[in-house]
Amino acid sequence: MRYAFVLLVLLFGSTQAAEQVRLTNGEWPPYLGETLPHHGVASRIVAEAFALQGVEVRWEFHPWARSLKMAEQGQRDGSAVWLANPEREQRFHISEPVVESGYYLFHRKAHAFDWNTVEDLRGLRIAATRGYDYGEAFQRAEAAGELEVVRLTGDEQGLRQLLAGRIDLFPVDKVVGFDLLYQKFSAAERQRLSFQRKPLRSDSLHLLLSREVPGNAELMQRFNRGLSQLRDSGKVSRYLLEIQQPLSLNH
Protein backbone atom coordinates (compact mmCIF):
# COMPACT_ATOMS: atom_id res chain seq x y z
CA MET A 1 0.00 0.00 0.00
CA ARG A 2 2.83 2.34 0.98
CA TYR A 3 4.61 1.51 -2.30
CA ALA A 4 1.48 2.37 -4.27
CA PHE A 5 1.20 5.70 -2.42
CA VAL A 6 4.84 6.57 -3.17
CA LEU A 7 4.32 5.63 -6.81
CA LEU A 8 1.25 7.88 -7.03
CA VAL A 9 3.19 10.76 -5.49
CA LEU A 10 6.00 10.29 -8.00
CA LEU A 11 3.59 10.11 -10.90
CA PHE A 12 1.63 13.14 -9.69
CA GLY A 13 4.83 15.11 -9.12
CA SER A 14 6.11 14.32 -12.60
CA THR A 15 2.93 15.61 -14.20
CA GLN A 16 3.26 18.88 -12.28
CA ALA A 17 6.89 19.52 -13.28
CA ALA A 18 6.72 21.56 -16.47
CA GLU A 19 9.05 20.56 -19.25
CA GLN A 20 11.42 23.41 -19.99
CA VAL A 21 13.54 24.58 -22.90
CA ARG A 22 16.34 27.13 -22.45
CA LEU A 23 16.61 29.63 -25.30
CA THR A 24 18.86 32.62 -25.90
CA ASN A 25 17.54 35.88 -27.25
CA GLY A 26 18.68 39.42 -28.08
CA GLU A 27 17.53 43.01 -28.54
CA TRP A 28 15.59 43.84 -31.72
CA PRO A 29 12.38 45.71 -30.81
CA PRO A 30 9.55 45.17 -31.41
CA TYR A 31 10.32 41.56 -32.36
CA LEU A 32 12.62 40.75 -29.43
CA GLY A 33 13.69 42.48 -26.24
CA GLU A 34 14.22 41.69 -22.56
CA THR A 35 12.02 44.53 -21.26
CA LEU A 36 9.31 44.38 -23.94
CA PRO A 37 5.85 42.93 -23.18
CA HIS A 38 6.17 39.14 -23.67
CA HIS A 39 9.86 39.84 -24.54
CA GLY A 40 8.69 40.97 -28.00
CA VAL A 41 6.25 39.55 -30.50
CA ALA A 42 8.61 36.89 -31.93
CA SER A 43 9.42 35.67 -28.41
CA ARG A 44 5.70 35.57 -27.64
CA ILE A 45 4.98 33.43 -30.69
CA VAL A 46 7.82 31.02 -29.81
CA ALA A 47 6.77 30.73 -26.15
CA GLU A 48 3.07 30.21 -26.91
CA ALA A 49 3.80 27.64 -29.61
CA PHE A 50 5.87 25.67 -27.12
CA ALA A 51 3.20 26.10 -24.42
CA LEU A 52 0.65 24.42 -26.68
CA GLN A 53 2.97 21.39 -26.58
CA GLY A 54 3.41 21.52 -22.81
CA VAL A 55 6.86 23.10 -22.88
CA GLU A 56 7.85 26.21 -20.90
CA VAL A 57 10.48 28.58 -22.33
CA ARG A 58 13.20 30.01 -20.12
CA TRP A 59 14.69 33.04 -21.91
CA GLU A 60 18.22 34.39 -21.55
CA PHE A 61 19.22 37.69 -23.17
CA HIS A 62 22.77 38.13 -24.44
CA PRO A 63 24.58 39.98 -27.24
CA TRP A 64 23.64 38.34 -30.52
CA ALA A 65 26.99 36.67 -31.25
CA ARG A 66 27.09 35.14 -27.77
CA SER A 67 23.46 34.00 -28.00
CA LEU A 68 24.19 32.12 -31.21
CA LYS A 69 27.45 30.60 -29.95
CA MET A 70 25.90 29.34 -26.70
CA ALA A 71 23.13 27.63 -28.65
CA GLU A 72 25.48 26.28 -31.30
CA GLN A 73 27.70 24.65 -28.67
CA GLY A 74 24.73 23.14 -26.83
CA GLN A 75 25.22 25.29 -23.72
CA ARG A 76 21.58 26.26 -24.24
CA ASP A 77 18.90 24.39 -26.17
CA GLY A 78 18.50 26.98 -28.91
CA SER A 79 18.04 30.60 -29.91
CA ALA A 80 15.39 32.84 -31.47
CA VAL A 81 14.96 34.20 -34.12
CA TRP A 82 17.39 33.87 -37.04
CA LEU A 83 17.74 33.65 -40.80
CA ALA A 84 18.10 30.15 -42.18
CA ASN A 85 21.17 29.32 -44.25
CA PRO A 86 23.13 26.17 -45.20
CA GLU A 87 25.80 26.79 -42.54
CA ARG A 88 23.21 27.02 -39.79
CA GLU A 89 21.41 23.94 -41.07
CA GLN A 90 24.58 21.96 -40.29
CA ARG A 91 24.56 23.11 -36.66
CA PHE A 92 20.88 23.55 -35.88
CA HIS A 93 17.43 22.12 -36.38
CA ILE A 94 15.58 25.01 -38.06
CA SER A 95 11.89 25.66 -37.46
CA GLU A 96 9.11 26.66 -39.78
CA PRO A 97 9.00 30.47 -40.21
CA VAL A 98 8.14 32.33 -37.01
CA VAL A 99 7.91 35.85 -38.51
CA GLU A 100 8.65 37.49 -41.86
CA SER A 101 11.15 40.33 -42.12
CA GLY A 102 11.40 42.83 -44.97
CA TYR A 103 14.23 45.37 -45.31
CA TYR A 104 13.23 48.56 -47.12
CA LEU A 105 15.21 51.60 -48.23
CA PHE A 106 14.24 54.64 -46.15
CA HIS A 107 15.00 58.12 -47.53
CA ARG A 108 14.04 61.75 -47.06
CA LYS A 109 10.91 62.77 -48.96
CA ALA A 110 12.87 65.70 -50.36
CA HIS A 111 15.27 63.21 -51.95
CA ALA A 112 12.89 61.06 -53.96
CA PHE A 113 14.28 58.27 -56.11
CA ASP A 114 13.36 54.92 -57.59
CA TRP A 115 15.27 51.68 -58.04
CA ASN A 116 14.96 48.20 -59.52
CA THR A 117 18.40 46.66 -58.96
CA VAL A 118 21.27 47.29 -56.57
CA GLU A 119 23.18 48.89 -59.45
CA ASP A 120 20.65 51.75 -59.33
CA LEU A 121 21.99 52.64 -55.86
CA ARG A 122 25.47 53.53 -57.12
CA GLY A 123 26.57 57.07 -56.33
CA LEU A 124 24.19 57.38 -53.37
CA ARG A 125 25.43 57.72 -49.79
CA ILE A 126 24.19 54.66 -47.91
CA ALA A 127 24.46 53.65 -44.26
CA ALA A 128 23.88 50.14 -42.97
CA THR A 129 23.92 48.53 -39.53
CA ARG A 130 27.08 46.67 -38.55
CA GLY A 131 26.69 42.89 -38.68
CA TYR A 132 23.48 42.92 -40.73
CA ASP A 133 23.18 41.04 -44.02
CA TYR A 134 21.12 42.95 -46.58
CA GLY A 135 21.06 40.26 -49.24
CA GLU A 136 23.58 38.76 -51.63
CA ALA A 137 23.45 41.50 -54.28
CA PHE A 138 23.89 44.32 -51.75
CA GLN A 139 26.64 42.54 -49.82
CA ARG A 140 28.55 41.71 -52.99
CA ALA A 141 28.31 45.26 -54.33
CA GLU A 142 29.40 46.68 -50.97
CA ALA A 143 32.41 44.32 -50.74
CA ALA A 144 33.46 45.21 -54.29
CA GLY A 145 33.32 48.92 -53.51
CA GLU A 146 30.55 49.47 -56.06
CA LEU A 147 28.33 51.03 -53.37
CA GLU A 148 29.27 53.83 -50.97
CA VAL A 149 28.29 52.22 -47.65
CA VAL A 150 29.23 53.21 -44.10
CA ARG A 151 28.43 50.73 -41.35
CA LEU A 152 26.92 52.13 -38.14
CA THR A 153 26.29 50.70 -34.67
CA GLY A 154 22.49 50.63 -34.84
CA ASP A 155 19.30 51.40 -36.72
CA GLU A 156 18.46 54.52 -34.69
CA GLN A 157 21.82 56.07 -35.62
CA GLY A 158 21.12 55.36 -39.30
CA LEU A 159 17.73 57.07 -39.21
CA ARG A 160 19.23 60.09 -37.43
CA GLN A 161 21.99 60.42 -40.02
CA LEU A 162 19.33 60.19 -42.72
CA LEU A 163 17.38 63.06 -41.17
CA ALA A 164 20.59 65.07 -40.77
CA GLY A 165 21.29 64.72 -44.50
CA ARG A 166 24.59 62.90 -43.97
CA ILE A 167 23.34 59.91 -45.99
CA ASP A 168 20.78 59.39 -48.75
CA LEU A 169 19.51 55.89 -47.94
CA PHE A 170 19.19 53.63 -44.93
CA PRO A 171 17.88 50.05 -45.20
CA VAL A 172 15.93 48.81 -42.18
CA ASP A 173 13.29 46.22 -41.41
CA LYS A 174 10.06 48.13 -41.96
CA VAL A 175 8.39 47.12 -38.68
CA VAL A 176 11.57 47.88 -36.74
CA GLY A 177 11.96 51.18 -38.55
CA PHE A 178 8.42 52.31 -37.82
CA ASP A 179 8.69 51.25 -34.19
CA LEU A 180 11.89 53.27 -33.81
CA LEU A 181 10.38 56.30 -35.52
CA TYR A 182 7.34 56.27 -33.24
CA GLN A 183 9.34 55.60 -30.08
CA LYS A 184 12.38 57.84 -30.59
CA PHE A 185 11.44 60.55 -33.11
CA SER A 186 8.97 63.42 -33.31
CA ALA A 187 6.00 63.61 -35.66
CA ALA A 188 7.76 66.39 -37.56
CA GLU A 189 10.79 64.15 -38.08
CA ARG A 190 8.63 61.23 -39.21
CA GLN A 191 6.91 63.45 -41.78
CA ARG A 192 10.26 64.09 -43.48
CA LEU A 193 10.88 60.41 -44.22
CA SER A 194 9.51 57.83 -46.62
CA PHE A 195 10.55 54.40 -47.91
CA GLN A 196 10.63 52.55 -51.19
CA ARG A 197 7.85 50.00 -51.68
CA LYS A 198 10.23 47.45 -53.20
CA PRO A 199 12.06 45.49 -50.45
CA LEU A 200 15.83 45.27 -50.56
CA ARG A 201 15.56 41.90 -48.88
CA SER A 202 12.64 39.79 -47.65
CA ASP A 203 13.12 36.69 -45.51
CA SER A 204 11.58 34.47 -42.87
CA LEU A 205 13.08 34.23 -39.38
CA HIS A 206 13.24 30.96 -37.48
CA LEU A 207 13.80 29.27 -34.14
CA LEU A 208 17.11 27.39 -34.01
CA LEU A 209 17.59 24.30 -31.80
CA SER A 210 21.12 22.99 -31.37
CA ARG A 211 22.07 19.66 -32.92
CA GLU A 212 24.40 19.21 -29.93
CA VAL A 213 21.46 18.72 -27.56
CA PRO A 214 19.91 15.22 -27.51
CA GLY A 215 16.17 15.19 -28.17
CA ASN A 216 16.12 18.49 -30.04
CA ALA A 217 15.02 16.90 -33.33
CA GLU A 218 11.84 15.63 -31.68
CA LEU A 219 11.46 18.90 -29.76
CA MET A 220 11.55 20.83 -33.03
CA GLN A 221 8.77 18.65 -34.43
CA ARG A 222 6.67 19.49 -31.39
CA PHE A 223 7.44 23.20 -31.74
CA ASN A 224 6.38 23.17 -35.38
CA ARG A 225 3.12 21.48 -34.41
CA GLY A 226 2.50 24.12 -31.75
CA LEU A 227 3.37 26.91 -34.19
CA SER A 228 0.87 25.51 -36.70
CA GLN A 229 -1.80 25.36 -33.99
CA LEU A 230 -1.06 28.95 -33.00
CA ARG A 231 -1.31 30.13 -36.62
CA ASP A 232 -4.56 28.26 -37.16
CA SER A 233 -6.02 29.97 -34.08
CA GLY A 234 -5.43 33.37 -35.69
CA LYS A 235 -3.27 34.55 -32.79
CA VAL A 236 -0.05 34.93 -34.80
CA SER A 237 -1.72 37.32 -37.24
CA ARG A 238 -3.30 39.23 -34.36
CA TYR A 239 -0.04 39.60 -32.45
CA LEU A 240 1.77 40.87 -35.54
CA LEU A 241 -0.97 43.42 -36.24
CA GLU A 242 -0.81 44.66 -32.64
CA ILE A 243 2.84 45.71 -32.92
CA GLN A 244 2.60 47.48 -36.27
CA GLN A 245 2.24 51.21 -36.06
CA PRO A 246 0.05 52.72 -38.78
CA LEU A 247 2.07 52.29 -41.98
CA SER A 248 2.20 55.98 -42.70
CA LEU A 249 4.84 58.54 -41.83
CA ASN A 250 2.33 61.38 -41.87
CA HIS A 251 1.10 61.07 -38.29
Side-chain angles (χ1 to χ4, degrees):
M1 186 73 175
R2 184 179 178 184
Y3 173 79
F5 174 75
V6 170
L7 186 61
L8 283 171
V9 168
L10 289 171
L11 288 170
F12 181 76
S14 67
T15 61
Q16 297 305 301
E19 187 178 352
Q20 292 187 333
V21 60
R22 298 185 303 168
L23 302 177
T24 60
N25 206 326
E27 295 295 326
W28 198 40
Y31 292 115
L32 308 157
E34 188 169 12
T35 62
L36 296 176
H38 308 284
H39 299 310
V41 67
S43 304
R44 183 180 192 179
I45 292 168
V46 169
E48 292 194 13
F50 267 125
L52 289 171
Q53 294 291 309
V55 180
E56 178 187 353
V57 174
R58 289 177 55 195
W59 292 111
E60 291 184 17
F61 285 80
H62 303 286
W64 283 112
R66 185 179 174 199
S67 281
L68 189 64
K69 183 62 70 176
M70 291 174 76
E72 180 183 316
Q73 295 177 344
Q75 298 173 25
R76 300 296 182 268
D77 297 308
S79 189
V81 287
W82 298 84
L83 293 169
N85 61 40
E87 182 183 352
R88 287 178 184 158
E89 286 175 7
Q90 294 177 10
R91 295 174 170 83
F92 297 97
H93 304 285
I94 298 179
S95 75
E96 294 296 316
V98 175
V99 292
E100 301 292 329
S101 169
Y103 281 82
Y104 291 78
L105 292 166
F106 279 64
H107 60 92
R108 294 181 304 282
K109 287 180 180 175
H111 182 228
F113 81 107
D114 198 8
W115 75 289
N116 286 305
T117 68
V118 166
E119 285 70 28
D120 297 329
L121 308 181
R122 290 180 181 179
L124 296 171
R125 298 170 301 163
I126 306 168
T129 300
R130 197 170 297 142
Y132 284 18
D133 184 336
Y134 296 94
E136 184 180 350
F138 184 94
Q139 302 289 123
R140 187 171 57 244
E142 178 187 7
E146 296 167 0
L147 296 180
E148 183 184 339
V149 181
V150 58
R151 289 280 179 163
L152 305 175
T153 57
D155 292 337
E156 182 181 348
Q157 185 184 5
L159 291 171
R160 294 202 181 279
Q161 290 211 6
L162 189 59
L163 281 164
R166 298 193 187 106
I167 57 173
D168 302 315
L169 300 175
F170 183 65
V172 62
D173 175 281
K174 186 166 64 175
V175 174
V176 171
F178 273 89
D179 185 71
L180 267 173
L181 287 166
Y182 276 85
Q183 298 291 338
K184 304 283 188 178
F185 295 79
S186 69
E189 288 172 321
R190 290 195 295 271
Q191 287 172 5
R192 294 174 53 205
L193 297 182
S194 186
F195 64 95
Q196 287 292 304
R197 303 291 168 171
K198 174 184 170 68
L200 180 65
R201 167 172 200 165
S202 184
D203 297 280
S204 55
L205 300 174
H206 306 257
L207 169 69
L208 306 182
L209 293 182
S210 176
R211 292 188 181 273
E212 297 296 319
V213 178
N216 266 358
E218 187 268 340
L219 185 62
M220 183 60 83
Q221 292 177 358
R222 292 169 63 190
F223 172 77
N224 284 333
R225 286 197 295 270
L227 183 59
S228 179
Q229 289 175 269
L230 197 65
R231 287 195 191 285
D232 291 344
S233 74
K235 287 184 177 179
V236 170
S237 296
R238 191 173 84 233
Y239 296 160
L240 291 172
L241 281 173
E242 285 174 0
I243 62 150
Q244 292 195 39
Q245 301 288 351
L247 290 183
S248 168
L249 294 177
N250 298 318
H251 302 291

